[in-house]
Structure formats: C-alpha cells, structure tokens
Amino acid sequence: MARAIESQHHTGFFVRGPSATARLFFFAVLSLVLIATDARLHYLVEVRQGFIALLHPLQVIANAPLRLIDDSSQYLHTQTTVVKENIQLKTQALEHAAELQRFQALEVENERLRSLLGAALISSQPARLAEILHMGRDPFSHKIVVNLGSRQGVVAGQAAIDETGVVGQVTRVYPFSSEVTLVTDKELAVPVQVARNGLRAIAFGSGRDATIEMPSLPANVDIRKGDKLITSGIDGIYPAGLAVAEVVMVDTTPDSPFAHIVCKPLAGIENHRQLLIVSIPKAELPASTSTLNTSTSERSKKVAPTKRHANN
Amino acid sequence: MRTTSLKPVYFSLLAALVLQMLPWSGIALVMRPEFILLTLLYWTLRAPHLCNIGTAWFAGLVVDLITGGLFGQYALAFALTAFFAVTYQRRLALFNIWQQAGYVFLLLIFTQVTVLILKLFSGGEVPGWEYFFPSISGILLWQFVIFSRINIDGRTNQA
C-alpha cells in the first residue's frame, strides 16, 4: 500500500519527455500568439465557428436534463390550468386583433402621408423567434446564446428584442447558435432618443449592475429621472421607436462638465426564455449599408457623429 | 494501482465539459466551480505522465470556445496552472490532504487572477469580489476528492 509517488515506478530516468519549463514556454507562446491573433486580426472567426459546431452535440446533451424537466412539467399541466390559459390567451388575442386593425389603418395612412411628403418609407422588418440556450458561460460578460445560427439565416449585427424593448445585438454567429450581446454590456452602444423631447444620444452599457449609461452629455442636458429612452433608428440596425431604458438617476456635479446619467433597461434582460431577432432594415440611408457585418466597436465609432449632433 | 490508461482522463474531462456546459444561470452561474480546471488539477497531480501542460492547454482552449471570450486566455491560464501543479507534484504527494487542498486552492485562485489580468488587458471591466466565488466552490468540491477514496497519489485514503 505504501506507494507514495507514482512516478517512482518508472524504470528509465528520462521518461517524462520535455521538461515542464520547456512545455510551458511552448504553450505560453502559442496561447499568446492566439490571443494576439484573435484580438487584433480577427482571423479565427471560421475556426471558432467550426469548433462550436463540433461542440453542438455536447451542448444538446447538456441542455437535455433541463429540457426534460420542462417538457414533463408541461405535460403534467392539469386540464383546468390549460383551459384557463386558453381563455386568457383568446381574450388577449381578441384585444390585440382590435388594436392590430387600428394599427394597420394607421400604418397605411402614415405611409400615404410619408409618400406625400416625399420622406423615406419605413418598412416593417420581419422578426424571428429565438430561444435562449444559456446565459453566457462567463457571468461577467453580459452575453446570451440563442438557438438560431447562420444556418437559419441570422447575421451578425441584427437586433434582438423582447416584448418590452431592446435586449441587445447579435455579435457572433455560429452554424447552429449565435451570441447576443446585451445592452448592458460595456461594448454595446445603442443610438437612442429621449421619448419626451426627441433628444438624440448614445447609450452605452455600463458593464456592471445591469445598467446603461449616457456619457458625454452636458450638465445642462434636458433629461430627467423617469424619462423613457427609445431607439432613434438612425443607425439602420434597430427599428425606430423601440423602448430601450428608463432614466433612474441624473447626477450633475459642479466639478464635471458632463452629466452622469444612469438608466435601467426596460426589456427583461435577465429573465426570459425567448426573444425576437429582427432583420436589418433594407438600406435606404447610404450610411447603413456599411453597418452590415461590422463589429460593435466599429459600429460605435460609426455612430459617434450623431452624438456630437445631439450635444449641439 | 498505477494509472496507465488515458481513457478515464479523457472521459472525466468530457464529463466535466458537459457539467460546465449545463445551462447555468443567475446565482448558480456566479457560484459554479470550474469543473474542467478541477478535473485537470486532479489528473495533473495524480498522473502527470497522462495529463500534463499540453492537456491543460487544450482543455483551456475548449473553455475559451465555450465561454466565447478571447481565444487563448483560458489556455494560457490553464497551462500556467498546470505548470505549477506539475513542478510541485512530487512534493505534494508527501503532504497531508489538508496541505494538498490548500495548494489546490492557491492554484484555483492563481488561474482566476491570470484570466482576470488577461481580460483587463483586452479591455474588460473590473468584476466584484464575487469573481472569486468559483474558487471557493471549487475547493469545496475538492473536499469530495479528500473524503472519497480517490486520493491524488493513488492510495486509498484511510489515514
């Protein structure tokens, strides 16, 4: 029983191969090269897509237990709850149908008025229902992974919304899944408009506490606590008029020329299973053609001029 | 018995990968131990001739893939951790189980600090103290190794 160290059973002296330091050096250099390639050159997109596709079966296995629980609990729903839910949904559908009729009439009227004015027509964009596979593996990165990928026609740059507002943007597309960066992520910027007075600005995720910030706005800016922020649509990615966030704090300190504005996202960022992926609108503005397939960092650079405009 | 088969190593790593890929969310996601890292440390400490820095590096690459972060940051962190594990592996086999657990805890913290530094270099934000929860839950999971009979030097744990 007294076998303290397994390696002592080796007969040869040099059976351990290259020394640990040599191995470490080799692999450290290899990973540093990988990090540099991925961070600066963006060469590894296809490699990543391929590997993620290989890992997809494992993902399905990992999701299986939860899915089984979900399915069986749905199966075991009692009949009364189903009937109750059915009645509720029917009344809701009726209410929505009435509103939809009114909306259609309004839309036709709006389009006619717009064509009279010679303004660009706002086309409605088709949306697809995607199911969330998991919140990202990294609890500090504000990303979620959904079950639609490039095979289903999702492209990077599409907006993701839920029934209450903007959730985020598709940033990476894999064959069977895609990654949605939430509006609370530090790297995502959303061009917004204050619903009360139409002031345009850019909202950035703050990266912590699930909040959104609006930096670089002057201290005397006309934004109050409780203001609703909606998408302005001038980026050509998000449809105009979607709710984004509500201002929860406006802090103007005398020693700073900028206001410190903190907003809370309106969409259920943390607590939903499904969301809608909205197609990128057909480009009518020349600027929006370049927004296809650009990364978020490039995008935020692109929308920077609008911010200047808002500050005037 | 001396472990010579590679099969248990890769099977346990695969099982750890599936555990890591479960749809964790909310507080469970913050508390989730790094299953792959723990499995790796177990095998590097028990059988470095089967699971060495290279294995750790590849496992780190897989973690990079499933987290969707920068390619190579977990790979570098895991390779460094495996290096320290392998370097002191012979000495560690003579320690008692609590000293071993302490060393494993240091290694877990070291991995997280390395990943944090790499993330900060690539422009990540500074997380709160809850960033280190996985190390604590990880070392709690390591107690399972202590109180089970799969001691890292292959002895049955009766002392």
Side-chain angles (χ1 to χ4, degrees):
Chain A
M1 277 315 227
R3 265 176 300 91
I5 305 161
E6 294 200 350
S7 320
Q8 284 179 349
H9 287 261
H10 278 300
T11 44
F13 276 163
F14 304 109
V15 286
R16 302 188 90 179
S19 78
T21 324
R23 287 178 205 228
L24 176 69
F25 182 73
F26 175 73
F27 285 115
V29 168
L30 209 58
S31 35
L32 285 176
V33 167
L34 271 181
I35 291 174
T37 323
D38 196 27
R40 294 274 164 261
L41 303 170
H42 307 287
Y43 281 157
L44 298 170
V45 180
E46 284 84 11
V47 180
R48 194 191 288 271
Q49 285 181 349
F51 275 108
I52 290 282
L54 278 181
L55 286 175
H56 188 252
L58 273 185
Q59 180 66 63
V60 172
I61 293 171
N63 277 348
L66 202 79
R67 197 162 286 256
L68 193 71
I69 293 168
D70 268 11
D71 287 354
S72 47
S73 67
Q74 263 175 23
Y75 184 76
L76 294 173
H77 252 294
T78 57
Q79 205 224 348
T80 44
T81 47
V82 172
V83 168
K84 214 162 74 183
E85 233 174 52
N86 199 9
I87 292 168
Q88 207 178 2
L89 287 174
K90 266 184 185 157
T91 46
Q92 213 171 47
L94 262 177
E95 282 166 17
H96 285 176
E99 273 174 36
L100 198 65
Q101 279 179 6
R102 212 163 51 90
F103 173 74
Q104 274 166 351
L106 281 175
E107 196 174 40
V108 170
E109 188 184 331
N110 190 23
E111 257 171 48
R112 210 189 59 238
L113 290 175
R114 270 183 169 269
S115 63
L116 280 177
L117 286 169
L121 292 177
I122 299 172
S123 52
S124 68
Q125 291 143 37
R128 311 192 50 177
L129 191 70
E131 199 171 320
I132 296 173
L133 285 177
H134 56 85
M135 311 291 290
R137 312 287 179 205
D138 183 355
F140 301 96
S141 72
H142 306 275
K143 281 169 186 162
I144 50 177
V145 176
V146 295
N147 68 344
L148 293 183
S150 57
R151 289 293 175 89
Q152 284 86 21
V154 174
V155 290
Q158 288 185 325
I161 61 174
D162 74 352
E163 70 275 10
T164 46
V166 175
V167 175
Q169 193 185 18
V170 178
T171 42
R172 255 190 213 137
V173 183
Y174 307 121
F176 303 104
S177 57
S178 46
E179 183 192 273
V180 175
T181 304
L182 301 178
V183 281
T184 47
D185 193 275
K186 207 176 149 193
E187 292 184 357
L188 200 73
V190 184
V192 292
Q193 217 170 359
V194 179
R196 184 168 50 85
N197 54 11
L199 178 86
R200 274 169 294 176
I202 312 273
F204 288 85
S206 64
R208 52 170 61 197
D209 306 333
T211 54
I212 299 177
E213 280 172 4
M214 288 163 75
S216 318
L217 286 176
N220 62 352
V221 70
D222 182 19
I223 291 180
R224 292 180 215 146
K225 190 180 163 189
D227 273 352
K228 293 261 193 306
L229 303 179
I230 57 172
T231 50
S232 59
I234 43 180
D235 53 347
I237 286 174
Y238 298 100
L242 293 174
V244 178
E246 191 185 298
V247 178
V248 289
M249 194 186 84
V250 181
D251 185 20
T252 49
T253 44
D255 55 341
S256 164
F258 299 112
H260 178 62
I261 300 167
V262 179
C263 323
K264 193 169 69 64
L266 287 170
I269 298 289
E270 306 279 338
N271 45 16
H272 41 55
R273 286 300 300 272
Q274 279 103 9
L275 45 79
L276 287 169
I277 295 194
V278 188
S279 308
I280 297 173
K282 284 280 170 290
E284 263 146 42
L285 306 158
S288 54
T289 46
S290 61
T291 57
L292 289 164
N293 298 325
T294 49
S295 73
T296 45
S297 57
E298 282 163 322
R299 203 174 59 77
S300 56
K301 254 181 251 159
K302 187 194 79 69
V303 290
T306 53
K307 183 167 60 182
R308 219 181 301 134
H309 189 88
N311 286 346
N312 285 342
Chain B
M1 77 258 100
R2 178 182 160 75
T3 24
T4 47
S5 171
L6 272 172
K7 252 187 222 162
V9 180
Y10 289 121
F11 267 118
S12 55
L13 279 174
L14 199 68
L17 179 63
V18 172
L19 276 177
Q20 194 112 353
M21 285 174 86
L22 287 178
W24 301 86
S25 66
I27 191 76
L29 182 64
V30 180
M31 298 289 292
R32 176 198 64 187
E34 294 270 358
F35 294 105
I36 295 185
L37 181 61
L38 280 170
T39 319
L40 268 177
L41 279 179
Y42 175 75
W43 285 114
T44 35
L45 291 177
R46 175 169 173 177
H49 53 284
L50 295 179
C51 178
N52 212 308
I53 296 171
T55 325
W57 186 78
F58 275 109
L61 217 54
V62 173
V63 175
D64 276 326
L65 276 172
I66 62 170
T67 49
L70 208 54
F71 225 54
Q73 54 187 14
Y74 274 96
L76 180 60
F78 280 18
L80 275 170
T81 311
F83 170 76
F84 285 111
V86 165
T87 320
Y88 295 104
Q89 184 260 340
R90 283 160 173 251
R91 243 169 280 180
L92 208 65
L94 302 171
F95 284 178
N96 70 33
I97 46 176
W98 297 108
Q99 288 167 323
Q100 284 172 356
Y103 188 64
V104 169
F105 185 60
L106 283 182
L107 286 178
L108 292 178
I109 291 280
F110 172 78
T111 317
Q112 288 213 289
V113 170
T114 317
V115 173
L116 180 60
I117 291 171
L118 289 171
K119 272 185 186 159
L120 290 184
F121 267 122
S122 58
E125 75 251 18
V126 184
W129 283 109
E130 64 269 23
Y131 178 75
F132 290 102
F133 280 169
S135 289
I136 295 164
S137 59
I139 201 62
L140 292 178
L141 197 64
W142 186 263
Q143 311 300 313
F144 167 75
V145 178
I146 291 179
F147 291 114
S148 69
R149 290 167 153 259
I150 44 174
N151 204 351
I152 58 163
D153 49 9
R155 284 176 299 188
T156 48
N157 187 14
Q158 276 154 356

